[in-house]
């Protein structure tokens, strides 16, 4: 997890930056287009966000993440609650910058692993994907882009709060409002896909999805085992649904897993069948257990870089199977301008293929990044929970050449911070700014939200239900990361038994099936605890 440690040799820089900020030189991020360069001057960055004095990105003085990763400061707290708890130090620049992420695969795979009778490997647990697996009630913007909601509450540990940064896109439109889709399905038919809950789930769900797509949508199908083959070129659905159904029905597991060949052939097929004015997307369905050919994610991505950059083809990864190549699939999605999810049963598969994918084919934002500027007058230290693989150098926040995240309509993105406030602090706490590119014009836009210190006075377990659910999901992920080299107990972390009780009550209150499943997963983890 991202920790705000610093070297002794960097303390002077941190002090200078804090003094500069206290002098009022940290400015609010500007809203809207910032010009051709993608960089805005400090003078141009001022805006009144309606939330008190603002703090916006200052020139970064860190190692590129906005928060230091090594070394230990004399300012570390001496609290010994839990293992390594309190292992924090002030950030030298009070900035945190990351690419947006709507992935949920880590949480889905953890649930599957727990249901199979054991805890997931800590390296597969990504807290942001746990948090982003649950519905939020953020206000939605009227048009394209994002709304920004910033709130928080006090934890059970003195001076520590959880601060939630919530970003939401417009509600997904009606069926006829989105542009047509050109979907290239790249389907793993290797021998391992014969296991129940893999290829059989994919075939059933793809068949149902084919009937739900519009007549003006197009579908292509590529299969791969030891080699890759285009079994159906890009085909308009209107009078050709039977062709698609036949191609799906004929899928059978065969040999080894040459995932690299599948991805390359999939993108080549997508380019060949490219439709102007449509959403062109590759959908990879695999257990990602690559064992033949190119098995390195970066190498695979290099081979398809032209298709991604020149044609804007995005990737949607769907993971399946009890044994699952989580790291490879996540890397492909994160660096392949896309996102990933995991399905473990028929209900999950129907939801992903038949509801989520058709509903969210459209894109609202490309290369979306967020930057949170904490006020050094009120904040002593902070820590971003998760997003380990999505950090962006602070200086690159407004560099639109730097990769961000792709987000569609109907999505929410949540980032949770552990924040230690200064004693008796009052006033401005943080400014959160999101920056994105319009999917069509590639014009940059920004939106900001503010948080005042009094807004985090409420106790966490008295806070609104959705904030409590966010906290439970983060604490659960944190508990499952025990044993990972980067693991540090979150401030105020309850035991798994207490966390299960919290989740159970929230499930009753919200009548949310997903929260009930969360409670069950926590109970299972508690039973398997060492």
């Amino acid at each position: 997890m991202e920790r705000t440690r610093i070297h002794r040799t960097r303390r002077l820089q941190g002090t200078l930056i804090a003094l500069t900020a206290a002098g009022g030189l940290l400015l609010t991020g500007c809203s809207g287009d910032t010009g051709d360069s993608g960089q805005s001057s400090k003078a141009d960055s001022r805006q009144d966000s309606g939330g008190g004095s603002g703090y916006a990105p200052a020139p970064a003085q860190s190692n590129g993440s906005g928060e230091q990763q090594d070394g230990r400061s004399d300012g570390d707290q001496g609290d010994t609650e839990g293992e390594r708890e309190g292992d924090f130090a002030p950030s030298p620049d009070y900035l945190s910058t990351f690419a947006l992420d709507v992935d949920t695969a880590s949480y889905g795979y953890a649930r599957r692993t727990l249901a199979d009778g054991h805890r997931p490997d800590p390296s597969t647990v990504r807290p942001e994907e746990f948090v982003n697996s649950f519905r939020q009630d953020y206000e939605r913007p009227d048009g394209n882009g994002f709304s920004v909601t910033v709130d928080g509450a006090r934890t059970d540990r003195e001076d520590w709060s959880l601060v939630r940064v919530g970003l939401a896109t417009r509600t997904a439109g009606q069926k006829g409002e989105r542009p047509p889709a050109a979907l290239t399905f790249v389907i793993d038919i290797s021998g391992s896909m014969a296991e129940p809950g893999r290829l059989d789930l994919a075939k059933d769900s793809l068949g149902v999805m084919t009937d739900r797509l519009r007549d003006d949508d197009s579908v292509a199908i590529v299969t791969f085992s030891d080699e890759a083959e285009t079994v159906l070129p890009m085909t308009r659905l209107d009078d050709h649904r039977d062709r698609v159904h036949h191609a799906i029905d004929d899928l059978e597991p065969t040999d080894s897993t040459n995932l690299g060949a599948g991805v390359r052939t999939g993108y080549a097929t997508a380019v060949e069948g490219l439709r102007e004015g449509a959403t062109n997307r590759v959908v990879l369905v695999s257990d990602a257990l690559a064992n033949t050919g190119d098995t390195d994610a970066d190498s695979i991505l290099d081979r398809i870089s032209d298709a991604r950059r020149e044609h804007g083809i995005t990737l949607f990864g769907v993971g399946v199977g009890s044994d699952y190549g989580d790291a490879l699939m996540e890397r492909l999605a994160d660096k392949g301008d896309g996102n990933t999810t995991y399905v473990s049963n028929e209900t999950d598969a129907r939801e992903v293929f038949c509801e989520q994918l058709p509903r969210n084919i459209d894109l609202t934002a490309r290369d979306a990044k967020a930057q949170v500027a904490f006020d050094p007058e009120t904040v002593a230290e902070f820590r971003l929970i998760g997003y380990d693989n999505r950090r962006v150098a602070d200086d690159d926040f407004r560099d639109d050449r730097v990769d961000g995240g792709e987000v569609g309509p109907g999505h929410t993105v949540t980032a949770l911070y552990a924040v230690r406030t200064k004693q008796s602090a009052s006033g401005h706490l943080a400014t959160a700014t999101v920056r994105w590119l319009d999917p069509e014009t590639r014009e940059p836009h920004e939106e900001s939200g503010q948080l005042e210190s009094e807004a985090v006075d409420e106790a966490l377990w008295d806070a609104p239900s959705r904030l409590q659910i966010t906290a439970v999901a983060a604490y659960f992920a944190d508990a499952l990361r025990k044993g990972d080299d980067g693991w540090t107990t979150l401030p105020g972390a309850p035991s798994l038994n207490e966390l299960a009780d919290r989740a159970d009550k929230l499930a009753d209150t919200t009548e949310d099936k997903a929260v009930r499943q969360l409670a069950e997963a926590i109970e299972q983890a508690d039973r398997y605890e060492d």
Side-chain angles (χ1 to χ4, degrees):
M1 287 201 179
E2 192 169 4
R3 297 193 296 273
T4 56
R5 301 181 181 178
I6 54 175
H7 288 297
R8 280 180 196 275
T9 56
R10 304 303 294 273
R11 283 196 201 117
L12 179 58
Q13 290 179 329
T15 302
L16 291 174
I17 293 297
L19 289 172
T20 301
L25 295 180
L26 285 173
L27 309 173
T28 40
C30 64
S31 178
D33 192 346
T34 58
D36 295 337
S37 69
Q39 301 289 334
S40 60
S41 70
K42 291 184 180 180
D44 291 338
S45 294
R46 286 191 183 93
Q47 75 168 30
D48 182 1
S49 301
S53 61
Y55 286 78
Q61 298 291 326
S62 70
N63 65 352
S65 70
E67 302 175 16
Q68 297 304 304
Q69 302 303 305
D70 53 357
R72 188 178 180 90
S73 164
D74 291 340
D76 285 343
Q77 302 302 299
D79 196 325
T80 57
E81 290 181 20
E83 298 182 46
R84 296 174 60 194
E85 187 171 46
D87 196 9
F88 300 85
S91 165
D93 55 10
Y94 289 83
L95 292 176
S96 174
T97 310
F98 58 94
L100 301 198
D101 190 354
V102 296
D103 292 354
T104 59
S106 176
Y107 175 65
Y109 186 47
R111 281 183 53 218
R112 166 68 183 263
T113 304
L114 289 164
D116 286 346
H118 52 94
R119 295 179 66 159
D121 187 313
S123 67
T124 68
V125 176
R126 293 181 291 278
E128 72 276 15
E129 298 185 23
F130 280 55
V131 166
N132 283 316
S133 294
F134 298 92
R135 181 174 61 82
Q136 299 287 0
D137 53 5
Y138 306 137
E139 182 180 350
R140 300 280 181 174
D142 294 332
N144 282 339
F146 294 88
S147 63
V148 181
T149 301
V150 193
D151 60 9
R154 288 185 294 105
T155 72
D156 291 340
R157 186 175 170 202
E158 186 177 3
D159 296 331
W160 282 93
S161 299
L162 293 182
V163 170
R164 180 177 62 164
V165 176
L167 310 173
T169 58
R170 61 176 168 80
T171 303
Q174 297 300 314
K175 190 174 182 181
E177 293 180 358
R178 66 167 172 81
L183 305 176
T184 301
F185 289 93
V186 180
I187 303 174
D188 186 347
I189 58 168
S190 61
S192 59
M193 292 292 286
E195 176 191 289
R198 300 194 188 200
L199 186 57
D200 57 335
L201 278 186
K203 289 174 64 173
D204 176 74
S205 301
L206 287 171
V208 176
M209 187 203 68
T210 297
D211 291 330
R212 295 192 182 184
L213 290 173
R214 298 189 326 213
D215 286 346
D216 61 344
D217 292 331
S218 300
V219 169
I221 296 177
V222 171
T223 61
F224 68 93
S225 54
D226 54 341
E227 296 180 349
E229 177 186 5
T230 301
V231 298
L232 182 74
M234 194 63 70
T235 303
R236 194 74 65 98
L237 285 178
D238 47 13
D239 293 325
H240 304 290
R241 292 181 195 269
D242 286 346
R243 288 184 62 193
V244 179
H245 281 297
H246 287 318
I248 294 170
D249 292 342
D250 288 343
L251 299 177
E252 295 293 339
T254 55
D255 301 313
S256 54
T257 309
N258 192 337
L259 189 145
V263 172
R264 291 194 303 274
T265 303
Y267 272 85
T269 300
V271 170
E272 185 177 347
L274 193 76
R275 290 181 57 185
E276 295 296 331
T279 300
N280 295 273
R281 179 167 294 183
V282 169
V283 182
L284 173 63
V285 184
S286 176
D287 56 19
L289 300 176
N291 54 23
T292 301
D294 198 344
T295 60
D296 178 71
D298 291 337
S299 176
I300 294 170
L301 290 166
D302 284 344
R303 292 172 182 261
I304 60 169
S305 60
D306 289 345
R308 292 191 295 112
R309 293 169 186 163
E310 293 179 18
H311 303 293
I313 299 171
T314 57
L315 177 67
F316 182 53
V318 182
V320 296
S322 55
D323 291 324
Y324 169 53
D326 170 78
L328 177 58
M329 186 70 92
E330 187 216 7
R331 181 75 175 170
L332 287 171
D334 281 353
K335 299 300 181 181
D337 297 334
N339 56 286
T340 182
T341 190
Y342 177 86
V343 299
S344 61
N345 53 47
E346 184 176 346
T347 301
D348 289 347
R350 291 285 183 105
E351 171 66 20
V352 168
F353 287 108
C354 306
E355 301 297 335
Q356 292 181 14
L357 184 57
R359 187 173 65 239
N360 294 319
I361 284 172
D362 197 8
L363 274 182
T364 297
R366 283 188 181 274
D367 289 322
K369 310 182 193 85
Q371 186 167 80
V372 182
F374 290 95
D375 190 330
E377 294 296 310
T378 54
V379 173
E381 47 192 305
F382 65 92
R383 168 187 173 192
L384 174 61
I385 301 170
Y387 290 92
D388 297 358
N389 300 327
R390 304 295 282 162
R391 298 172 189 149
V392 174
D394 297 331
D395 282 344
D396 288 338
F397 177 59
R398 291 192 172 99
D399 186 344
D400 296 325
R401 298 166 298 180
V402 175
D403 188 46
E406 278 59 47
V407 183
H411 279 115
T412 61
V413 180
T414 299
L416 201 63
Y417 287 85
V419 177
R420 183 170 69 86
T421 54
K422 294 182 177 181
Q423 290 188 355
S424 303
S426 63
H428 182 261
L429 198 72
T431 297
T433 303
V434 59
R435 181 181 177 89
W436 71 95
L437 302 183
D438 182 278
E440 300 298 327
T441 67
R442 302 300 176 103
E443 290 294 320
H445 301 275
E446 291 186 11
E447 190 67 47
S448 293
Q450 308 278 346
L451 181 68
E452 301 295 307
S453 58
E454 56 266 25
V456 298
D457 285 345
E458 186 176 23
L460 176 60
W461 305 120
D462 294 328
S465 296
R466 290 292 155 185
L467 177 54
Q468 290 189 51
I469 293 167
T470 301
V472 169
Y475 279 132
F476 181 36
D478 189 63
L480 293 178
R481 288 191 70 173
K482 183 178 180 179
D484 190 356
D485 289 342
W487 174 73
T488 304
T489 302
L490 287 177
S495 67
L496 280 174
N497 182 265
E498 180 184 346
L499 207 57
D501 287 342
R502 298 274 185 201
D504 189 62
K505 292 175 182 176
L506 287 165
D508 290 340
T509 301
T510 61
E511 298 182 343
D512 187 332
K513 180 181 176 182
V515 181
R516 175 62 61 199
Q517 292 172 337
L518 173 62
E520 293 169 354
I522 297 172
E523 290 170 1
Q524 290 169 331
D526 190 26
R527 289 198 296 269
Y528 307 147
E529 190 167 21
D530 296 334

